[in-house]
Amino acid sequence: MAQWSNWSGRLRAEPASIVSVQDESQVVEAIASARRNGQRVGVAGACHSHSPLVRTEGVLVDITGLAGVIAVDPEAGSARIRAGTRISELGEPLRARGVALINQGDIDRQSLGGALATGTHGTGARLRNLSAGLLGARIALGDGRVVECSPDQEPELFQATRLNLGGLGVVTELTVAVRPAYRLRERLWLEDLDAVLDRIEPLIHATRHFEFFWMPGSQRAACKAIEETEDAPVYPLAEEGKRVAWSDQVLANERPDKHSEMEYSVPREQGPACFRQLAEMLQRDFPELAWPLEYRSLAEDDVWLSTAYERPTATLSVHQGIDAPDEPVFRACEALFKEFAGRPHWGKVHYRSGGELADLHPRWADWWRVRDAWDPEDRFLGPHLESLREARD
Ligand SMILES: Cc1cc2nc3c(=O)[nH]c(=O)nc-3n(C[C@H](O)[C@H](O)[C@H](O)COP(=O)(O)OP(=O)(O)OC[C@H]3O[C@@H](n4cnc5c(N)ncnc54)[C@H](O)[C@@H]3O)c2cc1C
């Protein structure tokens, strides 16, 4: 037995073995070996998910050694990248070829394959999640084949792969949308929470990125607005209140304190009402909570399992340190998110059943139909996904 734990240490598992791969042939061999032994296969990126998607009793393929930028086509706005590459390893090589990712999340430690597999996103009313920017992928399947998919080639496999939850196979290479490299100016300020929520629409449209954090018990929100600029970078980056630097340097933050997180996506117009109720409930019922709430915006997309599928979105995140119980507070938050038709982030804590998720995701049955067709032996059906499978029709 091998030992596995996720980034926060809250999730643990004992896979039969952990296989670290450096190239695609090793991925294919790991799958073939698992098939011979009748084992299932799990895929591990940077293990930053708070939901137990990576957990397996079978063979765990660690994909982070399969890394590097393969090719960039600035005119087409695309980059071919090995799936295990950490987002933090993309900034410089992409910039050297004159391009950058269109957006990225709060941190940059995720692998690109893991980020896409769970619909990881940043903030920006006009910006979509990373899965929406997938242009093509190469995937090693349970039957030993390695298949290329795109909107024109195996289009249904492509649709399911955009946000795949590790449930189809091992993605080895990805083609993602990029844009010309750009610099950003960040501005931070404190403002009364009610005032921010009252003018959230103009705020989220005023700059390319807007988000705020709010600490329970406080009257004020810590706001962050980020706009594109032609100005030269100002280093050191840590200078309080104003950063100007390349996009990847401004968008990525350090989050060293171990925590778990629940995040729900709600229809954008309901974001402020949901946030107000959440804040009131937390202050009343969980006065000891000492972690901030985060509010971000996301454009709608057409990715089958995306939390922003066909709806402009506000995302609300709740955090809890690993030294305190998280389930009571997360369950109370989830009860409230349900009232707003919230969709849970796939890489964060939730307690929803497959039936409930089917109601929230119009393309749920399509995703399962394609998954089942391309992985008929359920080689990549981990215990968490299997628990959600009941309501695939
Ligand atoms: C501190 C912190 C900050 C975060 N910030 C954000 C944020 O700003 N925005 C946001 O949306 N999320 C955020 N997340 C969540 C995080 O982005 C997702 O959980 C993401 O999936 C993590 O990527 P990973 O490489 O660690 O994937 P893992 O957790 O290792 O895996 C996630 C899923 O992807 C699958 N997978 C991984 N690689 C492959 C592959 N090559 N082929 C097939 N399947 C694969 C796994 O099997 C699993 O199902 C944050 C998490 C943490 C801990």
Side-chain angles (χ1 to χ4, degrees):
M1 288 289 179
Q3 303 289 325
W4 172 86
S5 69
N6 74 334
W7 169 82
S8 72
R10 279 227 194 240
L11 301 175
R12 296 186 179 278
E14 293 190 336
S17 61
I18 299 178
V19 181
S20 297
V21 293
Q22 264 76 43
D23 62 43
E24 193 177 84
S25 67
Q26 292 173 348
V27 175
V28 172
E29 173 48 34
I31 296 170
S33 162
R35 202 169 63 241
R36 283 193 298 272
N37 295 326
Q39 294 166 308
R40 290 199 176 171
V41 181
V43 195
C47 302
H48 273 54
S49 294
H50 304 285
S51 61
L53 278 167
V54 172
R55 206 146 65 180
T56 181
E57 290 165 6
V59 177
L60 187 60
V61 177
D62 174 350
I63 195 82
T64 50
L66 192 62
V69 176
I70 300 166
V72 174
D73 184 341
E75 289 190 357
S78 68
R80 183 77 164 178
I81 298 165
R82 291 189 187 88
T85 316
R86 289 187 193 249
I87 291 171
S88 57
E89 295 166 349
L90 285 175
E92 284 188 29
L94 291 184
R95 200 177 318 128
R97 293 159 168 94
V99 299
L101 292 179
I102 294 165
N103 200 7
Q104 57 188 75
D106 248 2
I107 57 152
D108 58 7
R109 304 302 159 92
Q110 309 96 330
S111 69
L112 190 62
L116 276 133
T118 59
T120 290
H121 62 88
T123 189
R126 292 178 294 272
L127 301 172
R128 303 180 303 163
N129 67 20
L130 285 168
S131 303
L134 186 69
L135 303 173
R138 194 170 160 84
I139 179 161
L141 300 166
D143 62 7
R145 282 181 296 162
V146 182
V147 177
E148 190 72 39
C149 65
S150 71
D152 304 319
Q153 202 174 346
E154 302 296 357
E156 288 218 307
L157 177 63
F158 171 73
Q159 292 303 337
T161 299
R162 292 168 90 189
L163 198 165
N164 61 73
L165 306 175
L168 285 148
V170 183
V171 175
T172 57
E173 296 179 11
L174 299 156
T175 304
V176 295
V178 292
R179 53 153 289 176
Y182 57 111
R183 293 189 290 275
L184 294 171
R185 174 191 301 281
E186 176 188 89
R187 191 166 71 84
L188 308 174
W189 73 98
L190 289 171
E191 186 173 334
D192 177 73
L193 174 65
D194 272 326
V196 171
L197 290 171
D198 284 346
R199 63 187 189 100
I200 196 75
E201 272 298 307
L203 274 172
I204 65 172
H205 288 106
T207 51
R208 191 172 191 267
H209 314 258
F210 173 82
E211 70 177 321
F212 73 83
F213 284 89
W214 171 78
M215 188 62 92
S218 159
Q219 297 301 314
R220 295 199 293 177
C223 301
K224 183 194 282 192
I226 301 178
E227 189 53 299
E228 218 172 314
T229 180
E230 297 291 313
D231 291 354
V234 178
Y235 296 109
L237 287 179
E239 194 182 338
E240 200 50 35
K242 53 178 163 64
R243 290 201 283 184
V244 177
W246 293 101
S247 57
D248 54 294
Q249 298 168 334
V250 170
L251 293 172
N253 299 282
E254 296 294 329
R255 299 271 184 259
D257 298 326
K258 293 288 166 72
H259 60 267
S260 54
E261 182 177 344
M262 167 174 280
E263 178 190 298
Y264 264 76
S265 290
V266 302
R268 185 180 290 163
E269 66 280 6
Q270 304 210 39
C274 184
F275 194 90
R276 282 193 164 96
Q277 289 189 30
L278 191 64
E280 191 186 316
M281 183 277 288
L282 288 171
Q283 293 189 118
R284 186 188 62 230
D285 298 342
F286 299 92
E288 69 287 356
L289 183 69
W291 283 76
L293 271 58
E294 185 179 13
Y295 189 109
R296 293 185 276 185
S297 304
L298 195 55
E300 68 182 293
D301 62 50
D302 62 355
V303 178
W304 283 358
L305 293 188
S306 170
T307 61
Y309 182 78
E310 292 188 345
R311 75 182 191 195
T313 289
T315 72
L316 283 64
S317 309
V318 190
H319 308 80
Q320 175 63 292
I322 46 158
D323 46 356
D326 61 358
E327 190 165 341
V329 64
F330 286 165
R331 281 200 182 272
C333 293
E334 185 163 87
L336 202 146
F337 287 133
K338 279 186 196 175
E339 293 175 22
F340 289 86
R343 294 171 177 157
H345 190 301
W346 292 106
K348 304 189 183 179
V349 179
H350 72 85
Y351 308 100
R352 309 302 291 274
S353 67
E356 289 176 295
L357 292 168
D359 290 341
L360 292 167
H361 288 282
R363 307 305 294 267
W364 180 257
D366 287 320
W367 189 85
W368 278 100
R369 176 176 53 76
V370 174
R371 198 222 73 82
D372 290 352
W374 287 90
D375 182 29
E377 293 178 346
D378 292 341
R379 191 73 52 209
F380 288 93
L381 197 68
H384 181 57
L385 267 189
E386 190 159 25
S387 75
L388 303 177
R389 177 185 214 174
E390 19 137 346
R392 66 185 184 281
D393 302 318

